[in-house]
Structure formats: structure tokens, C-alpha cells
Amino acid sequence: MNSIRSSKINFYMNKVILLNKRPHGTPTVNDFKITNAEDPAAKDGEILLKTTYVSVDPYLRGRMNDTKSYVPPFELNKPIQSGVIAEVIDSKHADFKKGDFVSGNLNWSEYQTSNGKGLHKVSSSDAKLSSYLGILGMTGLTAYLGLMKIGLPKEGETIVVSGAGGAVGTVVGQIGKLMGCKVVGITGSDEKVALLTSTFKFDHAINYKTTKDLKVAVKSACPEGVDIYFDNVGGEISDAVLANINKYARLPVCGAISSYNKTEVPLGPRLQPIILTKSATMKGFIIGDLSEHFPSATKQLTAWLNENKISFSETIIEGFDNIPQAFIDLFEGKNKGKMIVKI
Ligand code: NDP
């Protein structure tokens, strides 16, 4: 931790990470700029926050492009924002006190002030603080609601999940097992294949990087066909799964990470004949649009965690300066479960 705090006056070396330039293709550390900002101080109605954990997420890549989407793009030379857990170190706000921990969408900044809007208090006595960025945060909700509201799992069905070794994928598979389904994961290393089949009790896992014919591998792992395909990645992996879907299959389209760094739109097979002839339902979703279900979903995920019915894996990188690299590493699959930076 590179901050200095004197006992007489509050003095922080307050590092902030800005978007330096818009990435072309795969992001590099030069697309980010680490700079020193002014020491923030809480005014009336505000809290002063010290960042504890930072979530790095694939969707942030889209916000680095200057294109219209479901969230506005990041501005050049302005701080990047993502899910953050922070400690309240000074409060001039009636609802927060020093020592509270909060979760919210905040700047990549060591210290910052907030008026408290959009922040939720979290407690380390209820769960591991970092888990509020993963299984009890955005990615856990995405897994739960994407599977339960769009995938509509029924006992005995077969679920295939891509991006299976990541934050969303590991949770989707475990919930699928709890629903009495057969679960097959597709992931990018033998280590993750072992994690999925041992720790997370997937029935099968396939390493897409070493499998010659993925369509055949999915068919052999799912001889009864695929009833639900939870798609985290898109591209050729999804083409291979779609070739194996059953009649009335449901396909929650959660993410398309294989295309996030592409500079040209990738071409693939036309999907309409498959969707038509299998009477399948393919539905994209943005988790923020399902916020009415967050309280019940969080309650269920917390209960399963407390009953040891589900668990989670985290890759925790240490140090504020390593946030950009941790983000870039998502595209190399260097994370197992949720990628988090501890400050
Ligand atoms: P992960 O923890 O799964 O990390 C990303 C993983 O993607 C990597 O570990 C890597 O694993 C895999 N990956 C990277 N590049 C490729 C590629 N070219 N082809 C295939 N796999 C690749 O991230 P999250 O769990 O946070 O997110 C998973 C997906 O869900 C993302 O696409 C994300 O954008 C999306 N998402 C969507 C939300 C929504 O509201 N719809 C909300 C949250 C996430 P591997 O070793 O297997 O290659």
C-alpha cells in the first residue's frame, strides 16, 4: 500500500487509474495511466472511502470503446470505474460511520468521496468481503438469474456452460447441479477442467484450447443433447454447442468475450435454421435489467453458501498498480473464478 497517512493532518498519496487511450484490439497497460490525484476530503453529506478490493470484469472492455451501448463509454483521461469494496474512513453522512464497509460502482482510485448514492453496506461478519464482488455480487446474480429466469432448468436436463472456469461460469454449473441437471463446462486449461470436475462437481469439462473438434467433444459429453446452453463467450465455442442442442433448448446469452477485442465483426454459421428447427429460445440479458429480482436471488445464494451447497473460487491479485494487468489477464484466462485486486 503506497499511501502515507500522518496522524496530524490527513495526507494521502492518492493514486487514480485513468483511461489513457482507447484500446485497439486486446488492451495493453499503455491504455491506462496511473496518476496522483488531490487528497479527497468528505464534505457535509459525504463519506471518505479507502478502496479495499477492486473487481475487474470483461464488460469493462466494451466501455473502453467510444460506442453507444447499455452503459456510457468511459471518458479519456477520466477514472475507470468498476465494482469496488471500500472502507469508510471518515463520515459526514448520517447513514454511514467510520469503519463501515460498502460495495458499489466506484473509481479505480485509492481514496475517494461519495454521497452514498448507489452504495450498499457489506459486512465481513456475514461473508468474506471480496465475495460481494463475486458470488454475492454482480457475477453471482448474473449466474443465478440468467440460469433460473432464462435457462429454466428442469431436473434431468443437460446444461452446457462456456467460460465455465470463471466467476459466472463456476456458479452457473453449481446451481445447475443443485437443480438436478447434468452439467458440462467448457474452459481454457486442464487445471480449470480439474477444478470444475473436482471442486465444483461438474459432470464433465472440456478444454477448448486442446480439443481438436469441439462439436464432436460436446456430442460425446452430451449424448442426450443440450437442453440449456449458458453462453459466456460466443464465437466458435458457441457454434459447436449450438450444433448439439435439443428441441426446445434455452440459450441465455450472457457474454461474448471471444469478440470483445475483435476489430472486425467475426463471421460464423447462420443460426436461424438451428433456432427454428429446434424451436429453441435464445435470449440475451443485461443483469441490471433484472434488478427487481436481486433481493430474492441474493437471499438464495447466501443460503446456499451458508449451507455449503455452493462454493466459489477467487484469483486475488495484490496491489493497486496491478489493476490494469489483472483486467488484461481476463482475456488470457489467467483467473480461476472471480478475478479481484486487493489493495
Ligand atoms: P470470467 O471470470 O469468466 O473471466 C473471463 C474468462 O473468459 C477468462 O477466464 C477466460 O477463461 C475466458 N476467455 C477469455 N477470452 C476468451 C476467448 N477468446 N474465448 C473463450 N473464452 C475466453 O468473467 P465473468 O465471469 O465476469 O464474465 C463471464 C462472461 O459473462 C463475460 O463474457 C462477461 O462479459 C459476461 N457477463 C455478462 C453479464 C450480463 O449482465 N449479461 C454480467 C457479468 C458478466 P478460459 O481459460 O476458459 O479461456
Side-chain angles (χ1 to χ4, degrees):
M1 176 83 222
N2 295 315
S3 310
I4 300 168
R5 192 173 178 198
S6 110
S7 54
K8 289 188 186 139
I9 50 161
N10 288 341
F11 175 69
Y12 310 100
M13 291 267 295
N14 185 24
K15 285 199 223 172
V16 182
I17 300 175
L18 313 178
L19 182 63
N20 189 36
K21 54 189 174 66
R22 301 200 182 278
H24 183 75
T26 304
T28 73
V29 284
N30 296 328
D31 297 325
F32 305 90
K33 183 160 67 191
I34 303 179
T35 182
N36 281 310
E38 281 180 20
D39 306 335
K43 299 192 202 85
D44 279 347
E46 289 186 341
I47 46 180
L48 177 61
L49 296 170
K50 178 172 181 265
T51 298
T52 311
Y53 292 103
V54 174
S55 172
V56 287
D57 302 274
Y59 83 94
L60 299 172
R61 177 63 186 84
R63 293 196 67 189
M64 291 169 194
N65 296 334
D66 192 14
T67 46
K68 209 172 165 199
S69 186
Y70 62 97
V71 264
F74 292 123
E75 288 179 51
L76 287 174
N77 292 310
K78 293 274 171 63
I80 311 272
Q81 291 153 1
S82 68
V84 164
I85 304 292
E87 182 182 359
V88 176
I89 56 169
D90 189 21
S91 179
K92 291 187 174 144
H93 191 301
D95 297 340
F96 299 90
K97 61 179 191 314
K98 203 174 153 186
D100 283 345
F101 281 89
V102 294
S103 160
N105 199 45
L106 290 164
N107 290 343
W108 285 3
S109 178
E110 287 178 308
Y111 297 90
Q112 60 201 294
T113 55
S114 165
N115 61 10
K117 217 174 142 198
L119 299 184
H120 306 279
K121 281 193 213 180
V122 291
S123 164
S124 60
S125 56
D126 297 334
K128 206 176 159 197
L129 280 177
S130 55
S131 70
Y132 295 104
L133 296 178
I135 196 158
L136 295 179
M138 193 260 288
T139 53
L141 291 168
T142 301
Y144 179 85
L145 292 170
L147 183 62
M148 301 304 282
K149 299 285 177 199
I150 301 172
L152 305 172
K154 292 194 236 15
E155 197 174 346
E157 288 190 324
T158 297
I159 301 175
V160 172
V161 53
S162 55
V168 174
T170 48
V171 180
V172 168
Q174 292 180 85
I175 297 173
K177 289 305 299 172
L178 284 175
M179 294 300 114
C181 297
K182 171 176 168 177
V183 174
V184 175
I186 302 178
T187 188
S189 75
D190 288 345
E191 220 185 330
K192 289 192 213 179
V193 163
L195 177 80
L196 294 178
T197 51
S198 56
T199 309
F200 295 120
K201 310 290 177 223
F202 283 45
D203 296 281
H204 290 285
I206 300 168
N207 179 348
Y208 72 89
K209 288 188 180 164
T210 55
T211 299
K212 277 208 180 75
D213 190 332
L214 201 52
K215 189 170 142 184
V216 170
V218 172
K219 191 179 168 97
S220 112
C222 310
E224 57 297 291
V226 178
D227 299 299
I228 299 171
Y229 173 45
F230 194 106
D231 190 0
N232 280 314
V233 305
E236 289 172 11
I237 294 172
S238 299
D239 296 342
V241 182
L242 259 88
N244 287 289
I245 59 171
N246 285 335
K247 192 154 190 199
Y248 304 123
R250 285 83 67 202
L251 294 83
V253 179
C254 175
I257 192 168
S258 70
S259 68
Y260 294 173
N261 293 325
K262 293 265 196 276
T263 50
E264 282 173 22
V265 179
L267 295 179
R270 306 283 181 220
L271 299 180
Q272 289 88 341
I274 303 176
I275 302 295
L276 170 70
T277 56
K278 298 294 179 181
S279 304
T281 306
M282 188 173 194
K283 185 172 175 6
F285 70 100
I286 299 299
I287 192 58
D289 295 334
L290 301 176
S291 58
E292 70 191 280
H293 303 294
F294 287 0
S296 58
T298 305
K299 197 172 160 203
Q300 181 62 82
L301 287 164
T302 307
W304 280 336
L305 263 182
N306 291 340
E307 294 159 14
N308 292 320
K309 288 187 172 161
I310 52 174
S311 60
F312 61 97
S313 169
E314 298 174 324
T315 295
I316 299 209
I317 307 297
E318 304 243 347
F320 185 83
D321 293 6
N322 293 323
I323 298 173
Q325 189 60 54
F327 166 69
I328 293 164
D329 285 348
L330 287 170
F331 300 96
E332 294 287 323
K334 291 199 178 155
N335 57 309
K336 288 204 268 310
K338 180 77 192 98
M339 182 76 112
I340 288 171
V341 183
K342 183 175 191 293
I343 311 304

